[in-house]
Amino acid sequence: MGLPALEFSECCLDSPQFRERLRSHEAELEKTNKFIKELIKDGKSLVAALKNLSAAKRKFADSLNEFKFRCIGDAETDDEICIAKSLQEFATVLRNLEDERMRMIENASEVLITPLEKFRKEQIGAAKDAKKKYDKETEKYCGVLEKHLNLSSKKKESQLQEADSQVDLVRQHFYEVSLEYVFKVQEVQERKMFEFVEPLLAFLQGLFTFYHHGYELAKDFSDFKTELTISIQNTRNRFEGTRSEVESLMKKMKENPHEHKNISPYTMEGYLYVQEKRHFGTSWVKHYCTYQRESKRITMVPFDQKSGGKGGEDEAVTLKSCTRRKTDSIEKRFCFDVEAVDRPGVITMQALSEEDRRLWMEAMDGREPVYNSNKDNQSEGTAQLDNIGFSIIKKCIHAVETRGINEQGLYRIVGVNSRVQKLLSILMDPKTATETETDICAEWEIKTITSALKTYLRMLPGPLMMYQFQRSFIKAAKLENQESRVSEIHSLVHRLPEKNRQMLHLLMNHLAKVADNHKQNLMTVANLGVVFGPTLLRPQEETVAAIMDIKFQNIVIEILIENHEKIFNTVPETPPSNSQLLLSRKKSTDSKPPSCSERPLTLFHTAQPSETPLRIQAQRHPSHRPGPCSPRHQALCPPPPRPATHPPSARRCGRPGLCTPVKQNTTRSSPSRQAPCLRMFIHPRSLAGWKGPSMERQD
């Protein structure tokens, strides 16, 4: 098992379990820091001590062989596995070089020492600084909170309100510092997968260049070197998308943390101060408490946030009753009494605020608690794919394949948003959408057409590969055997509704043609997976763990592209059961499919900024006569969708046709960003213009 994902939603609770997971990340960073420090020391010794080259190289190789990577999540991609075993491969190469007695070594400081020192100083050093700030804010928050809770309730109301406001400010600052620290820790853990290994790979390449008798050994190593370079680049590309998603989620948590609470198995949980009787009086001990309404079990864990350790044994009792403590009956504020079935006497507890006490009271007396609804239990709709939708996608594909298949950065470089929306409004106009023979005019740029295709797929009410199968596809991508992955994904694809599978087949055939021309358009199967993974297989709930699975979404798309003929043109060896077929088919049709002409055409219309998206009904041309499907379109005729309910405000839009002249947009493209690459490994042009799968330009 790898390192557990650190959810931002747990920063507010600051539970013992969250601190344990955070401590495992800190230990891994410290381990990496010590190893890099030792590795830098060994590298300098290797450069300085040419006379002791043999011993220094073997020690360096042994250090590499002992280090093991740990990734975030419960599984690793093929690229991560390749990167993880790369250090052992490096160690083998170094031992072989020692056997050959090669002694020349140059430029080691530039290609190895400097990048490692930079990573250790800028990344791991920044993480340590963030930890110091986090520990300082933790101590400050706990001190202020304890001082605040010890205020007498007999003080003036204005003084109490001022004290409450001060605690809220300190609590908010502690929460923000906690979020930033968790974000930085996970960022460094992800960065080390490529920023740490890449200098080592460059160093080995330098050794191959300068060793007189190392030609044959370098040639034997070239296959793994190529595979590792691709794995590093794929990991880097996935990291860019993952980092932006995690950063976006962190910003959402900062702006409104209450809307992103973690789904908990407990009815209520959090810190409470419990009054304990002593021989010399009473004391208030801080506990992390959880409560389950079904079993009425209260669990109390004595825990000190400052030290991050337990202060005693856990205790669990069964709730009998809960009563709010009157203000004039106790010196402390926010108190309530709890009676337990299996413990004599009354347990007096102090909440952290009036609102916190209200939530505990509501949970314990059986009233409905305030929680976010569980999204996993919500019903999810099937993507509505009608004749107009198929027509739009086919027109975009035809335009790309006929006049833009070799354009560099295809599907990766996005178009101007205003032009994309205008093209979509034209394509989705019922008057032009039914004209199946009309092509998209040459005045529309290829990047605008590709962005329109991706935008239309994202407009569907659910992803093309459906929420209900999202976890199954991810699990299939995590299988160790490649043949098992293909087989499982093959079976899952045939469990999709007919319309979804047809659209997916159409899209994968097109992407395979794009990948076949990767030497011209620079879009490999891996790059296409990065672009279309989040669009076709996005999760229903946005969490850090889900973002970490984006790399496996990309792998699913890669498998679909590489094996599209087998997956879509053959029946899986293990056909789905009748119940599975009934589940998937029921979402697509409830009756025998009629002819093409008898089917109503529906689509999801993209409204103008002042409008609400409307689901509208397309009209058939009056000259169109009912009849059976033509052989050309018979395979693409979807089952009839259920009739759409038209809002009272629905209206038809009179937009211009596909060939309406459009003023040429003069917006300057944003500067391309070229990812760093290794000399002699990756051509710089292969990375030009890369911005990640979800970056849109604004006009």
Side-chain angles (χ1 to χ4, degrees):
M1 292 292 293
L3 294 172
L6 298 174
E7 296 293 347
F8 290 128
S9 57
E10 294 182 347
C11 291
C12 183
L13 292 175
D14 196 19
S15 67
Q17 294 80 8
F18 169 73
R19 284 297 183 111
E20 286 294 329
R21 289 191 286 271
L22 183 59
R23 191 176 292 111
S24 66
H25 280 261
E26 293 171 347
E28 178 66 15
L29 283 180
E30 183 61 25
K31 178 182 175 183
T32 304
N33 181 46
K34 291 180 179 179
F35 174 74
I36 294 178
K37 184 178 180 181
E38 185 67 21
L39 196 61
I40 293 173
K41 179 181 177 181
D42 295 342
K44 290 180 178 179
S45 299
L46 185 62
V47 174
L50 291 176
K51 294 181 180 180
N52 299 321
L53 181 60
S54 177
K57 284 172 59 180
R58 288 195 179 276
K59 185 176 184 301
F60 187 69
D62 292 340
S63 298
L64 291 177
N65 193 52
E66 291 173 0
F67 185 76
K68 307 293 182 185
F69 277 108
R70 295 182 67 189
C71 68
I72 298 177
D74 57 356
E76 296 178 335
T77 64
D78 289 344
D79 294 325
E80 290 173 339
I81 293 173
C82 179
I83 292 175
K85 72 178 183 180
S86 62
L87 299 186
Q88 286 71 37
E89 292 290 337
F90 296 156
T92 302
V93 171
L94 288 176
R95 292 192 185 101
N96 291 335
L97 287 173
E98 170 56 24
D99 294 338
E100 296 294 331
R101 300 286 182 176
M102 300 303 168
R103 294 182 179 274
M104 292 190 64
I105 182 169
E106 296 180 8
N107 298 326
S109 178
E110 180 181 354
V111 300
L112 176 66
I113 305 301
T114 302
L116 291 181
E117 288 179 337
K118 182 178 179 181
F119 175 77
R120 182 168 175 262
K121 179 180 179 181
E122 295 182 357
Q123 300 301 326
I124 298 181
K128 287 186 175 182
D129 293 340
K131 174 175 172 54
K132 292 179 182 178
K133 183 178 180 181
Y134 175 69
D135 292 341
K136 181 178 179 181
E137 289 300 323
T138 300
E139 183 175 0
K140 177 181 177 182
Y141 167 67
C142 294
V144 171
L145 184 62
E146 290 181 359
K147 181 179 178 181
H148 175 68
L149 294 176
N150 287 326
L151 288 176
S152 174
S153 59
K154 297 180 179 180
K155 288 184 174 293
K156 294 182 179 181
E157 185 64 25
S158 60
Q159 293 178 339
L160 294 178
Q161 290 179 357
E162 182 179 356
D164 290 347
S165 301
Q166 182 180 2
V167 170
D168 289 339
L169 290 175
V170 175
R171 183 187 295 113
Q172 178 64 25
H173 186 61
F174 167 71
Y175 180 52
E176 292 179 358
V177 171
S178 178
L179 287 174
E180 292 172 355
Y181 176 52
V182 168
F183 172 74
K184 187 61 182 178
V185 167
Q186 297 193 114
E187 178 187 13
V188 176
Q189 293 284 22
E190 287 290 293
R191 277 184 180 275
K192 73 178 181 181
M193 294 297 288
F194 55 88
E195 288 194 1
F196 176 38
V197 180
E198 197 169 36
L200 296 171
L201 186 59
F203 170 69
L204 287 180
Q205 180 61 26
L207 288 179
F208 293 147
T209 304
F210 294 103
Y211 278 103
H212 178 65
H213 299 290
Y215 173 74
E216 292 297 331
L217 184 60
K219 187 168 63 173
D220 294 339
F221 184 79
S222 61
D223 290 341
F224 179 78
K225 178 188 67 177
T226 302
E227 181 183 358
L228 180 58
T229 302
I230 295 173
S231 297
I232 290 174
Q233 189 57 49
N234 289 343
T235 305
R236 181 190 297 277
N237 293 342
R238 290 165 183 159
F239 164 78
E240 292 295 336
T242 301
R243 184 185 183 281
S244 63
E245 293 290 339
V246 173
E247 187 175 16
S248 175
L249 179 57
M250 183 188 70
K251 291 179 180 178
K252 293 179 182 177
M253 296 292 295
K254 283 185 176 181
E255 294 171 357
N256 199 341
H258 298 292
E259 292 186 358
H260 295 81
K261 286 185 179 179
N262 192 30
I263 299 174
S264 173
Y266 302 108
T267 307
M268 186 65 185
E269 60 179 322
Y271 283 101
L272 293 172
Y273 283 82
V274 180
Q275 186 183 51
E276 296 184 356
K277 296 182 179 180
R278 309 289 186 187
H279 294 293
F280 52 84
T282 60
S283 63
W284 294 86
V285 181
K286 195 174 187 177
H287 289 70
Y288 190 83
C289 302
T290 59
Y291 176 70
Q292 285 185 323
R293 185 156 54 92
E294 294 78 8
S295 60
K296 293 190 175 182
R297 294 292 290 177
I298 304 174
T299 303
M300 297 176 288
V301 181
F303 187 78
D304 184 8
Q305 281 182 283
K306 295 180 181 179
S307 63
K310 286 186 177 181
E313 297 297 327
D314 301 356
E315 183 180 3
V317 297
T318 303
L319 177 68
K320 180 179 180 181
S321 64
C322 177
T323 307
R324 182 179 66 84
R325 191 68 178 260
K326 293 183 179 180
T327 305
D328 55 0
S329 67
I330 193 170
E331 283 288 326
K332 299 283 186 178
R333 305 172 65 198
F334 319 132
C335 293
F336 59 94
D337 293 335
V338 171
E339 290 186 276
V341 175
D342 45 3
R343 174 174 167 172
V346 175
I347 306 173
T348 301
M349 296 182 173
Q350 182 185 25
L352 303 184
S353 63
E354 185 64 38
E355 175 67 14
D356 190 37
R357 179 172 67 172
R358 183 183 67 81
L359 294 176
W360 279 103
M361 294 290 295
E362 287 183 356
M364 290 185 176
D365 67 8
R367 286 178 290 177
E368 187 68 17
V370 180
Y371 285 114
N372 288 337
S373 60
N374 189 337
K375 295 183 179 179
D376 292 336
N377 294 333
Q378 294 177 355
S379 60
E380 52 186 3
T382 306
Q384 300 292 330
L385 300 169
D386 51 23
N387 289 351
I388 293 180
F390 274 86
S391 174
I392 292 172
I393 299 300
K394 287 164 66 177
K395 289 176 183 178
C396 292
I397 289 176
H398 177 72
V400 172
E401 292 182 354
T402 54
R403 56 188 177 89
I405 194 72
N406 293 327
E407 189 165 314
Q408 290 189 4
L410 190 64
Y411 285 108
R412 189 174 60 195
I413 300 176
V414 299
V416 179
N417 186 53
S418 59
R419 287 182 59 79
V420 173
Q421 294 299 327
K422 185 169 184 178
L423 175 59
L424 274 176
S425 65
I426 294 173
L427 292 174
M428 298 172 68
D429 189 348
K431 298 179 180 179
T432 59
T434 55
E435 301 173 7
T436 57
E437 300 301 327
T438 302
D439 294 332
I440 299 177
C441 292
E443 68 184 60
W444 295 100
E445 297 173 306
I446 292 299
K447 62 182 179 181
T448 303
I449 297 174
T450 56
S451 296
L453 184 146
K454 292 185 293 183
T455 302
Y456 186 82
L457 292 175
R458 289 193 290 265
M459 285 167 52
L460 299 176
L464 192 60
M465 299 172 73
M466 305 184 67
Y467 290 128
Q468 67 189 79
F469 295 112
Q470 197 265 350
R471 293 306 310 164
S472 299
F473 278 110
I474 295 298
K475 290 180 180 178
K478 292 180 179 180
L479 296 176
E480 295 183 2
N481 184 273
Q482 178 68 13
E483 185 178 348
S484 301
R485 298 179 195 172
V486 176
S487 177
E488 183 65 19
I489 291 176
H490 188 186
S491 177
L492 289 170
V493 167
H494 283 264
R495 290 173 58 185
L496 293 173
E498 188 70 22
K499 294 178 292 184
N500 297 61
R501 190 167 69 253
Q502 287 178 358
M503 178 62 78
L504 192 62
H505 186 187
L506 183 67
L507 189 60
M508 291 304 113
N509 283 343
H510 169 61
L511 295 183
K513 295 178 183 178
V514 174
D516 290 340
N517 293 270
H518 69 275
K519 291 184 179 180
Q520 291 78 29
N521 57 37
L522 306 181
M523 292 301 293
T524 62
V525 172
N527 287 341
L528 292 172
V530 171
V531 173
F532 281 91
T535 298
L536 302 180
L537 202 61
R538 63 181 182 272
Q540 189 171 15
E541 185 177 6
E542 187 179 14
T543 63
V544 173
I547 294 174
M548 292 303 170
D549 278 341
I550 289 178
K551 53 192 174 185
F552 294 104
Q553 298 175 11
N554 304 342
I555 291 174
V556 172
I557 304 304
E558 294 174 21
I559 292 175
L560 289 175
I561 296 174
E562 292 175 342
N563 303 273
H564 66 98
E565 292 185 358
K566 174 184 176 181
I567 291 176
F568 293 99
N569 296 332
T570 62
V571 179
E573 295 180 1
T574 305
S577 62
N578 293 334
S579 61
Q580 293 170 341
L581 288 173
L582 181 60
L583 175 64
S584 61
R585 297 300 185 267
K586 187 175 181 181
K587 294 179 178 291
S588 61
T589 180
D590 292 329
S591 61
K592 180 179 179 181
S595 62
C596 292
S597 60
E598 298 173 348
R599 297 171 188 166
L601 306 178
T602 60
L603 72 155
F604 284 85
H605 164 61
T606 304
Q608 297 297 327
S610 60
E611 298 176 344
T612 302
L614 306 176
R615 188 179 181 185
I616 61 175
Q617 184 80 17
Q619 292 182 335
R620 282 191 294 272
H621 197 276
S623 62
H624 182 73
R625 298 180 180 179
C629 298
S630 64
R632 176 184 176 187
H633 300 96
Q634 193 168 11
L636 294 176
C637 289
R642 293 170 183 166
T645 303
H646 303 281
S649 60
R651 56 181 178 177
R652 303 196 179 277
C653 52
R655 292 183 173 86
L658 290 175
C659 295
T660 300
V662 179
K663 183 178 181 181
Q664 181 65 29
N665 186 281
T666 58
T667 302
R668 185 175 59 184
S669 302
S670 58
S672 62
R673 184 175 63 191
Q674 179 173 324
C677 62
L678 297 180
R679 188 182 304 170
M680 301 174 62
F681 289 178
I682 306 174
H683 197 287
R685 290 178 59 193
S686 64
L687 301 177
W690 171 248
K691 291 181 177 296
S694 59
M695 302 177 65
E696 298 288 341
R697 284 172 46 203
Q698 303 295 327
D699 58 348

